[in-house]
């Protein structure tokens, strides 16, 4: 397809010197494979776009395709044989290290910072968005040839530790120092959460509840944070213990989600020894101003941000923003990145505007490299989730519930299935993760169980089902057909499929339904590129649904293993099945979803 696109572009460039040529994808394969919108060129030449498109249709010739003027668009529509050849070859003959849609190394470095939960809080459904959007962005950037660094800016420092230390010393240290038992003052922990981390979370919730009526407790918490920053050994030891408890728990969840980071050691606390040098740089650059009660602030009015950036509190303690500034400076030295993506909720838009503005003032190198990719918050029908108030939905509960619903369906429909438990987990995850990706990144999501773990409609399981159905056809075809769609366990973002030669005769896939499927497969590389451009997985998720849907039309209308098929016809149709299975498996994998071979 790339070669045909190139020829089309060259012909257009020859016919329209001085005009910038950009091609689009027509809405359906019936219109064509590539479209040239004539508006801009027509304006430049002082012509009518409809007329220009007709003139071009008459003057350009491309082997294997027809040029059709459709109003102001000039469409290149490939002959069925040419389209099949182009798409199937791109998928089946791709070298294993560079599958369909992947690009060669481009020498650029991207940091994707994602997930970044606060320690001592439990992983909620709210954390899923940053974690899985970030994971997909990291996967896709790597697939597109970037050198990717996956960082997690764990919230392992900050005033919330003051709260935890105060609560722990008040209510747990004497009786329950290892946090091994339930507290007598709290509801017993639900069975699957009888963990020290959950008890820490209960302490946190209690402290915030009581602090409302007893403001002196706030000073107690502040005092503990100050002790921590001043290196008090008791505060330090407890902090370390809480941090380790949390990391163990987070790692378990990341393993379950199949998400990994370069390191979990570059959280907020990591930058502690860099806070003084950071303040020094800010001072030297003449940016610091004295604010209320001895606080240090940086004014940003001159760059259109009305709220100043607070970098140090009156009591001398650092804040969230200071650690973000230190982190950015560190990353410049350690990675020298081209792009740094922060996958963080829309509630922190102002924070990142401030951070980026300060960095730009400090060092022009940062200009244009920093990008906040905000995502909408997950809300409950009754309003915002709040860890402090304890009304949250835990991510693991959602994954468990999704898995159980799938398991019940398997039990009913296919009780003989091998590896039932593993398949139920893959489908449950597929439902939850895909649901998230199908939502616009920036809009808030209202969580309801039925929507998030739905199995029908445009869902992950629908795409996974299309894949499994193809695999079942390939198994029935015998020989090594199924093996051609499989690959060894993937490492990194690339599923390493072996090169498979194309059948010589592709007449078997000339039918309109087969052509419609080929057209949707042809749309995958641009959908993957759009994930990196728009910093969201939605275009890929939608395109996978389009492929799965057109597969279903193909399967119904073009019998694959019918006894009356000639061997050539059968081979061509099976080759299209292999290509579709590979494309679905690879696409899901980029999103962090596994595709079972049977379900
Ligand atoms: N830990 C923060 C939170 O839970 C998110 C951190 C985002 N990243 C950053 N560099 N500030 O809200």
């Amino acid at each position: 397809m790339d070669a045909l696109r190139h020829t089309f572009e060259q012909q257009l460039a020859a016919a329209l010197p001085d005009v910038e040529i950009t091609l689009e994808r027509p809405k359906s394969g019936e219109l064509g494979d590539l479209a040239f919108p004539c508006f801009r060129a027509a304006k430049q030449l002082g012509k009518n776009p409809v007329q220009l498109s007709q003139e071009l249709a008459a003057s350009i010739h491309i082997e294997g395709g027809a040029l059709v003027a459709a109003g102001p668009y000039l469409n290149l529509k490939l002959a069925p044989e040419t389209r099949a050849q182009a798409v199937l070859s791109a998928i089946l003959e791709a070298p294993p290290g560079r599958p369909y849609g992947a690009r060669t190394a481009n020498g650029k470095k991207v940091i994707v910072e994602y997930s970044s939960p606060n320690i001592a809080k439990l992983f909620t459904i709210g954390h899923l968005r940053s974690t899985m959007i970030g994971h997909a962005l990291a996967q896709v950037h790597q697939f597109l040839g970037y050198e990717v660094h996956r960082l997690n800016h764990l919230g392992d420092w900050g005033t919330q530790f003051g709260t935890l230390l105060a609560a722990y010393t008040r209510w747990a240290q004497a009786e329950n120092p290892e946090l091994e038992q339930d507290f007598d003052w709290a509801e017993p922990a639900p069975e699957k959460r009888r963990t020290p981390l959950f008890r820490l979370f209960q302490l946190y919730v209690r402290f915030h509840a009581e602090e409302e009526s007893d403001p002196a407790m706030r000073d107690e918490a502040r005092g503990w944070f100050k002790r921590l920053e001043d290196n008090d050994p008791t505060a330090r030891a407890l902090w370390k213990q809480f941090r380790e408890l949390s990391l163990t728990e987070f790692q378990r969840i990341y393993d379950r989600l199949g998400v990994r980071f370069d390191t979990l050691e570059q959280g907020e606390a990591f930058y502690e020894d860099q806070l003084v040098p950071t303040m020094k740089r800010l001072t030297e650059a003449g940016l610091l101003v004295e604010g209320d009660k001895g606080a240090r602030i940086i004014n940003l009015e001159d760059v259109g941000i009305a709220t100043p950036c607070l970098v140090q509190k009156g009591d001398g303690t650092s804040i969230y923003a200071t650690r973000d500034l230190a982190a950015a400076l560190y990353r410049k030295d350690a990675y020298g990145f081209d792009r740094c993506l922060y996958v963080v909720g829309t509630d922190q838009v102002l924070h990142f505007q401030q951070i980026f503005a300060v960095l730009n003032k400090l060092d022009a190198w940062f200009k244009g490299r920093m990008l906040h990719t905000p995502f909408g918050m997950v809300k409950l029908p009754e309003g915002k989730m709040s860890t402090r108030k304890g009304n949250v939905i835990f991510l693991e509960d959602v994954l468990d519930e999704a898995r159980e619903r799938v398991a019940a369906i398997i039990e009913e429909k296919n009780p003989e299935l091998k590896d039932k438990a593993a398949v139920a987990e893959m489908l449950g995850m597929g439902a939850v993760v895909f649901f998230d990706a199908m939502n616009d990144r920036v809009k808030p999501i209202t969580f309801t169980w039925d929507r998030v773990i739905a199995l029908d409609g445009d869902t992950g399981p629908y795409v996974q089902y299309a894949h499994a159905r193809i695999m079942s056809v390939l198994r029935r075809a015998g020989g090594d057909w199924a093996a051609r769609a499989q690959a060894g366990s993937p490492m990194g973002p690339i599923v390493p499929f072996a090169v498979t030669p194309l059948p010589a005769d592709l007449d078997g896939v000339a039918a309109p339904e087969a052509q419609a499927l080929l057209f949707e497969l042809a749309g995958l590389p641009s959908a993957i590129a759009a994930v990196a451009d728009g910093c969201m997985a939605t275009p890929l998720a939608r395109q996978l649904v389009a492929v799965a849907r057109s597969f279903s039309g193909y399967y119904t209308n073009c019998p694959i293993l019918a006894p009356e098929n000639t061997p050539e016809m059968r081979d061509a149709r099976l080759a299209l099945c292999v290509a579709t299975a590979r494309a679905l498996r690879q696409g899901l994998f980029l999103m962090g979803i596994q595709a079972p071979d049977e379900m």
Side-chain angles (χ1 to χ4, degrees):
M1 199 54 91
D2 284 350
L4 286 158
R5 169 186 279 268
H6 189 64
T7 314
F8 190 26
E9 280 168 348
Q10 277 188 327
Q11 301 252 18
L12 284 167
L16 303 167
D18 305 326
V19 172
E20 199 193 315
I21 309 292
T22 39
L23 298 181
E24 290 177 2
R25 221 173 106 75
K27 294 218 166 28
S28 90
E30 265 155 54
L31 293 169
D33 297 82
L34 291 167
F36 175 63
C38 297
F39 308 98
R40 198 145 29 110
K43 198 164 171 208
Q44 221 170 310
L45 302 169
K47 282 192 181 171
N48 170 324
V50 175
Q51 186 203 339
L52 178 63
S53 133
Q54 281 163 358
E55 284 172 22
L56 289 169
S59 67
I60 295 183
H61 298 282
I62 289 177
E63 171 95 23
L67 284 144
V68 189
Y73 288 89
L74 174 68
N75 293 331
L76 170 63
K77 183 169 182 186
L78 298 177
E81 167 85 26
T82 313
R83 185 187 275 174
Q85 169 73 36
V87 175
L88 292 179
S89 147
I91 302 179
L92 298 177
E93 298 179 330
R98 188 149 56 84
Y100 183 51
R103 296 191 191 152
T104 40
N106 62 18
K108 294 208 164 110
K109 285 187 200 166
V110 178
I111 292 180
V112 185
E113 189 217 272
Y114 59 112
S115 198
S116 311
N118 287 339
I119 279 200
K121 291 199 190 163
L122 298 161
F123 227 84
T124 71
I125 183 74
H127 293 103
L128 181 74
R129 300 214 77 191
S130 175
T131 308
M132 294 317 292
I133 295 171
H135 179 67
L137 292 183
Q139 291 278 78
V140 165
H141 273 93
Q142 208 173 325
F143 193 71
L144 294 177
Y146 293 84
E147 176 184 321
V148 175
H149 294 280
R150 299 158 187 246
L151 300 184
N152 187 327
H153 194 70
L154 281 173
D156 56 1
W157 201 248
T159 40
Q160 78 270 23
F161 276 96
T163 309
L164 277 171
L165 295 173
Y168 176 83
T169 46
R170 264 180 179 238
W171 300 309
Q173 195 162 33
E175 311 266 307
N176 189 8
E178 301 298 322
L179 299 167
E180 261 160 12
Q181 307 128 41
D182 283 344
F183 298 110
D184 51 15
W185 45 262
E187 290 265 309
E191 175 112 44
K192 64 179 167 191
R193 314 235 126 67
R194 301 228 165 111
T195 62
L197 192 64
F198 188 77
R199 298 190 181 103
L200 208 53
F201 162 74
Q202 289 179 317
L203 288 168
Y204 185 80
V205 173
R206 177 172 177 189
F207 198 90
H208 277 294
E210 295 197 10
E211 173 193 70
E212 307 256 296
S213 52
D214 183 0
M217 286 171 71
R218 224 158 283 166
D219 293 327
E220 187 181 323
R222 267 190 218 119
W224 270 108
F225 182 55
K226 182 92 174 83
R227 281 176 71 177
L228 192 60
E229 285 223 309
D230 293 344
N231 254 319
D232 169 282
T234 314
R236 278 286 150 150
L238 287 174
W239 167 79
K240 197 158 170 271
Q241 183 191 340
F242 297 164
R243 186 176 183 277
E244 274 158 20
L245 282 179
S246 309
L247 279 188
T248 314
E249 187 90 354
F250 291 159
Q251 190 56 60
R252 203 171 48 75
I253 293 175
Y254 292 141
D255 288 345
R256 181 166 180 188
L257 291 170
V259 166
R260 71 206 136 72
F261 296 92
D262 290 14
T263 168
L264 287 179
E265 293 305 322
Q266 288 182 25
E268 292 189 46
F270 177 78
Y271 301 103
E272 223 205 311
D273 61 356
Q274 296 157 52
L275 297 178
V276 173
T278 301
M279 290 302 285
K280 191 161 164 258
R281 279 192 67 175
L282 295 170
T283 314
E284 282 165 6
L287 296 175
L288 291 182
V289 178
E290 174 128 1
D292 272 358
K293 299 190 198 133
R296 306 274 152 178
I297 61 171
I298 298 170
N299 280 319
L300 299 169
E301 262 173 347
D302 59 321
V303 290
I305 301 171
T307 326
C309 181
L310 175 67
V311 290
Q312 191 175 64
K313 289 200 257 180
D315 63 3
T317 54
S318 71
I319 68 156
Y320 183 53
T322 335
R323 293 185 288 275
D324 257 323
L325 291 171
L329 295 170
Y330 173 83
R331 289 172 189 174
K332 178 190 169 187
D333 292 341
Y335 301 97
F337 54 86
D338 293 280
R339 230 179 169 198
C340 181
L341 306 181
Y342 293 82
V343 189
V344 186
T346 45
D347 56 341
Q348 297 192 25
V349 166
L350 175 63
H351 168 76
F352 285 105
Q353 283 173 349
Q354 293 174 320
I355 296 300
F356 299 167
V358 173
L359 289 168
N360 289 346
K361 280 177 187 267
L362 206 54
D363 182 351
W365 183 88
F366 285 102
K367 280 213 172 94
R369 291 176 199 257
M370 314 298 276
L371 194 70
H372 176 206
T373 58
F375 55 82
M377 308 312 278
V378 182
K379 295 191 176 141
L380 299 178
E382 59 272 21
K384 237 179 122 173
M385 278 198 268
S386 159
T387 311
R388 289 179 178 210
K389 299 204 180 103
N391 63 334
V392 290
I393 305 271
F394 296 113
L395 175 63
E396 289 212 281
D397 286 348
V398 178
L399 295 177
D400 289 352
E401 174 76 20
R403 177 177 60 197
E404 275 150 33
R405 290 201 193 185
V406 173
I409 298 176
I410 294 178
E411 223 34 78
E412 184 194 314
K413 297 209 171 140
N414 190 6
E416 304 302 316
L417 180 69
K418 290 184 290 202
D419 297 329
K420 276 190 275 197
V423 173
E425 170 77 4
M426 288 182 203
L427 298 180
M429 272 266 299
V432 176
V433 172
F434 204 88
F435 166 81
D436 194 73
M438 284 295 274
N439 279 282
D440 182 285
R441 169 165 60 74
V442 189
K443 287 203 197 115
I445 297 185
T446 302
F447 176 92
T448 63
W449 287 98
D450 285 334
R451 284 178 69 214
V452 174
I453 58 186
L455 305 171
D456 306 322
D458 295 347
T459 60
Y462 176 72
V463 177
Q464 289 167 310
Y465 177 66
H467 173 268
R469 201 160 162 203
I470 302 172
M471 294 310 293
S472 135
V473 173
L474 294 174
R475 280 192 300 274
R476 273 186 281 135
D480 63 351
W481 281 105
R484 293 181 198 181
Q486 283 159 328
S489 95
M491 292 289 287
I494 287 177
V495 181
F497 298 108
V499 174
T500 303
L502 294 200
D505 179 342
L506 294 175
D507 273 356
V509 292
E513 295 82 7
Q515 291 289 310
L517 172 56
L518 287 161
F519 175 77
E520 297 306 345
L521 288 170
L524 274 167
S526 56
I528 294 172
V531 173
D533 291 342
C535 288
M536 55 181 171
T538 320
L540 175 56
R542 295 229 168 100
Q543 192 59 29
L544 291 173
V545 169
V547 169
R549 182 159 307 131
S550 53
F551 175 77
S552 155
Y554 169 61
Y555 184 79
T556 324
N557 293 292
C558 303
I560 297 161
L561 299 177
E564 65 273 19
N565 283 356
T566 62
E568 288 77 18
M569 199 178 228
R570 178 184 132 107
D571 281 0
R573 292 187 176 174
L574 283 168
L576 178 52
C577 287
V578 173
T580 309
R582 286 184 177 197
L584 293 176
R585 187 189 284 250
Q586 172 72 71
L588 287 170
F589 189 68
L590 288 174
M591 296 175 61
I593 300 172
Q594 306 283 328
D597 286 344
E598 262 178 84
M599 62 189 257

